Every structure is written in C-alpha cells, then in structure tokens.
Amino acid sequence: MLLFVILLPFIVERIASDYTNYKLKEQKDAVMESIARNGVNYYLDGDSSYGSYTMLKEEYISLEPSPLLQIDTIETSRRLVERDTLVYRVLSYTFQEDGKTYLLEVGKKLTSIHEYNRPLQRIALYLLIGLTILSTIIDLLYTRYLLKPLQQIIKSKLVKQTFPFTKNATPVKTTTADFQYLDSSLISLMDQVREAFEKEREFTANASHELMTPISILKSKIENLMIQEDISEENLQKLSELMTTVSRLSRIVNSLLMISRIENDQYVLEEEVNVQALVQQVVSEIEDRIIGNEIKIEINLNESFLFSPCNKDLLFQLVYNLLNNAIKYNVPKGSIRITDGYTLEHRYELMISDTGIGISPADLPLIFNRFKKVHVQRSSGGYGLGLAISKTIANYHHIEIGVESELNQGTTFKLLFPVSGA
C-alpha cells in the first residue's frame, strides 16, 4: 500500500500520457480517413498549408508540405501559436498524396493533459481505500474461518470445562494438523488429570470408610474401660485423653467422608432455601458459643433470597463453618456482622465479617486447602478441613466463595450465589 501511494503520481502521469497518445492517434486516423475520402485539398482549399486550433488553444491540427520522409513520432515540444509559445504533446506524421509529401501534426496542450492527473489520482485513491477495506473484511472473515477450530478447542476444552472433567471429551473436527495435535494433547492431559483425581477421590473415600470401623471399636473399648469400677484415677485420666484424640480422629474421618460424598455427587440438589432464614437457624444453633465468648453479633439481612436447587443440610454446614471460624478466631469481646445485598450483576451476596486476628496475605491463597493449617497467633485445635469442606460445598452449589482479611483487623468471607434456578 505504501509503495502504491508513493508510485501513484508516476502511475497517473503515465496513464494520462498514454491516454493522450491514444487520442492523438485516433485524431490522426480520422484526418487520414478524411483525406483518403475527400483528398488533401479538402483541408488546404487552394492554400499551401492548413492550420486550426481550438478557442483556448488546447488542441491544434496542421497540414503542410514537407521535404522529410517517414516521420511518425509523438513527442513534447514547443509551438508558436499567435505569438504565444506553448508546450504541446505533438504527433507528427508524414504521408504522400498526389506525388507530394505532407506533414500532419496533431497537438494537445500539456497543461490540459495535466488536468487529468488530479481526477485520476482521486479515483485511484478511492479505489485503493475500497480495496483495502474489502481486503481487510475478507482477511478477517477468512482468518475467522481458519481459526474456527481453535476457537472450538478453547471453548470446549478450556472455557466451558468444569473440574472434574467429563469423560470421553469429543475431538474437534478439523483438517489442520496443528489443531488436531493441540486438541488431542489437551484431551490426553484432561484424561491424566481426571484419572489422578479419581484415584485420589477413591482413596479418600475408601480410607475414610475403612477407618470408621476401627475408630468405632476403639471408642467403644475406651468407654467400657472408663466405666469399670476398679479403674484408678491416673488410668481414667489417660483414657480420657485417649478418648479426646479418638474423637478428633473421628471428626476428621467424618469430614473426609463428607467431602468424598459431595465430590461423588451423593447429595441431591432439589430443595429451595430461604438464605435469611437459614442464617437465623445457624445463629440459633451456635448461640451458646457466641454468648460464651462474649461476642456481639449483628445481623443485617435486608433481602429475602430463595436459592434453588440446593441441599439445605450442606448449605447449613457451609454457613455454620464460616460462622464458627468467625467465633474461633475472634478477639475477646469482639463482634461479628452478617450482611447481604445484590451485586451490579444482580447476584445475591452474603457476607460474614469479624473483628478477629485476621489472616496474613501469604496465607490467604492456602486457607481452602485440605490439611493446610495457616499460621495463627494462637492455637485453635483445628485440622484444616473446615474451610476445605466449605469450599467443596460452595463449588457443589456453584457458589463463589471469597475472603478479604487484614492482620489484627478482621476477616470477611463472601458467598456469591448464582442466579436461582440457573
């Protein structure tokens, strides 16, 4: 395009010159036909020469005897017309008629030729712009057509995929070898990730299930030993400590079983829950701990949001875990605030804020990981599964769970619900 723009004046100049030469030859041919038909005296009319030009001297024709033979040229030269020296594009041609040689000249003023340049340049520029726009549109459409398989690969294998991946991913139909290789590589990678996840999930489910029986036996035997009459105070103390440890282990196994059942879709989502009423039920359930820790709780729920489809027991556990954390990691005589509202996207959001010890920026990305205990300022006795369960329940209901925290200032957990029924 740049080369075309640079060469455009020269191209237009050449086109105008060739067109002028063509018109001069046409005029010469017309004169020669007239002479052949009517004779040379038709122009000379008894004079020795003939000359004629337009009013503005833009064109002229002359006919006169010439001693020269065989002239047939087109050149730019000067001519004297009524005492004015003008520059013309002149066609010179000699011919013989009645035994005499005549010189025919047909000329066109050079300034009139240059008048063609500007319109021609304008037409060429418009043509260039039109071709550029047309070429761009065709390129975009053709590129979109060529890249359509890539867009399908991105949508089907990356954008629209949810973890865990579905089995037997459908290959995208394409004849492009690179796209076929990319698609097959992504399918293979998804299969490997799915297999690894399935093995981990199967192990967690089996291990948790198998541990329940020996834990129940241990608890039963410890309880039997504790009720014996001849047991000493020292042994009773040791058995009590052992019972506490076994109870903690039992809670861990139950938590792992819950996560496993959720991930295996063993909970049915067919209920409709009023989130405001659910929060009130959780607060009532945990009210003794709130009072015992002298924590002030403020509930400011202004929206009556019905969420469906869902599992009420799982949602209860989700809110319970978050509220329990707000109590556990709060400061003495701290406060908890529960609020709600709608986002700009018209999605319902529930927020649970506390004035606790907060979470460091380094630990924030890790708090939902299983068995990942973050660094806190005091021991909590937790085993890193409460928030993991909360995250699993949220994902199961397509709820986005987020957290904002600042050390020694407090933490806010946010639950962003999907559109009900979506």
Side-chain angles (χ1 to χ4, degrees), residues 110-140:
L110 205 61
T111 54
S112 64
I113 297 175
H114 289 163
E115 291 177 357
Y116 294 140
N117 291 5
R118 188 174 297 277
L120 286 175
Q121 287 180 356
R122 188 181 297 111
I123 293 172
L125 185 61
Y126 291 158
L127 180 63
L128 174 64
I129 294 173
L131 289 176
T132 302
I133 295 174
L134 180 62
S135 175
T136 303
I137 294 174
I138 294 175
D139 288 346
L140 289 175

Side-chain angles (χ1 to χ4, degrees), residues 220-237:
S220 178
K221 289 185 176 182
I222 293 172
E223 288 173 354
N224 290 335
L225 289 173
M226 292 178 68
I227 62 176
Q228 291 182 3
E229 296 180 358
D230 57 346
I231 188 171
S232 65
E233 187 69 26
E234 181 181 356
N235 290 335
L236 183 62
Q237 179 67 27

Side-chain angles (χ1 to χ4, degrees), residues 166-380:
T166 57
K167 295 182 179 179
N168 302 325
T170 305
V172 172
K173 294 181 180 180
T174 176
T175 57
T176 305
D178 292 337
F179 291 161
Q180 291 176 346
Y181 180 74
L182 174 63
D183 190 38
S184 61
S185 299
L186 286 175
I187 291 176
S188 176
L189 181 61
M190 291 166 62
D191 290 339
Q192 295 177 29
V193 173
R194 184 180 62 250
E195 290 175 5
F197 177 75
E198 289 292 341
K199 290 178 180 178
E200 179 187 350
R201 186 164 63 178
E202 183 179 357
F203 171 78
T204 301
N206 293 338
S208 302
H209 186 269
E210 294 298 326
L211 282 173
M212 287 302 297
T213 300
I215 289 175
S216 299
I217 294 174
L218 276 175
K219 290 182 68 175
S220 178
K221 289 185 176 182
I222 293 172
E223 288 173 354
N224 290 335
L225 289 173
M226 292 178 68
I227 62 176
Q228 291 182 3
E229 296 180 358
D230 57 346
I231 188 171
S232 65
E233 187 69 26
E234 181 181 356
N235 290 335
L236 183 62
Q237 179 67 27
K238 292 180 180 179
L239 288 173
S240 178
E241 294 174 358
L242 183 60
M243 177 62 78
T244 301
T245 302
V246 173
S247 297
R248 289 177 179 174
L249 181 59
S250 178
R251 287 195 297 271
I252 293 174
V253 173
N254 286 329
S255 298
L256 290 174
L257 276 174
M258 174 177 282
I259 293 175
S260 177
R261 288 168 182 166
I262 294 173
E263 291 176 343
N264 284 289
D265 299 332
Q266 294 182 9
Y267 288 91
V268 180
L269 302 178
E270 59 182 11
E271 297 177 275
E272 184 179 69
V273 172
N274 187 311
V275 176
Q276 185 178 11
L278 180 70
V279 172
Q280 295 289 353
Q281 293 175 14
V282 175
V283 173
S284 299
E285 179 83 13
I286 207 168
E287 189 174 8
D288 291 341
R289 290 199 56 201
I290 296 174
I291 296 174
N293 287 273
E294 299 182 357
I295 293 176
K296 178 184 177 182
I297 184 165
E298 178 186 353
I299 303 176
N300 188 15
L301 301 178
N302 299 317
E303 308 293 343
S304 181
F305 176 68
L306 297 177
F307 179 53
S308 66
C310 65
N311 186 286
K312 183 177 180 180
D313 293 335
L314 291 182
L315 283 183
F316 184 94
Q317 188 67 45
L318 169 60
V319 179
Y320 182 92
N321 287 351
L322 297 181
L323 192 55
N324 183 55
N325 269 15
I327 297 172
K328 183 187 299 184
Y329 296 107
N330 217 319
V331 296
K333 298 183 179 181
S335 64
I336 297 174
R337 190 166 184 262
I338 305 175
T339 58
D340 67 349
Y342 281 92
T343 65
L344 295 177
E345 295 80 18
H346 304 290
R347 295 176 62 183
Y348 180 76
E349 187 176 45
L350 179 68
M351 290 155 284
I352 301 176
S353 305
D354 63 63
T355 57
I357 59 178
I359 306 170
S360 68
D363 289 329
L364 272 177
L366 310 174
I367 61 173
F368 295 112
N369 294 356
R370 300 177 192 177
F371 297 107
K372 188 66 179 181
K373 187 70 174 296
V374 299
H375 298 89
V376 295
Q377 296 177 358
R378 64 173 185 267
S379 176
S380 63

Side-chain angles (χ1 to χ4, degrees), residues 40-41 43-51 62-66 100-103:
V40 71
N41 288 326
Y43 288 96
L44 296 178
D45 195 20
D47 295 332
S48 61
S49 62
Y50 168 80
S62 69
L63 183 63
E64 60 184 3
S66 173
K100 295 182 180 180
T101 302
Y102 293 92
L103 174 63

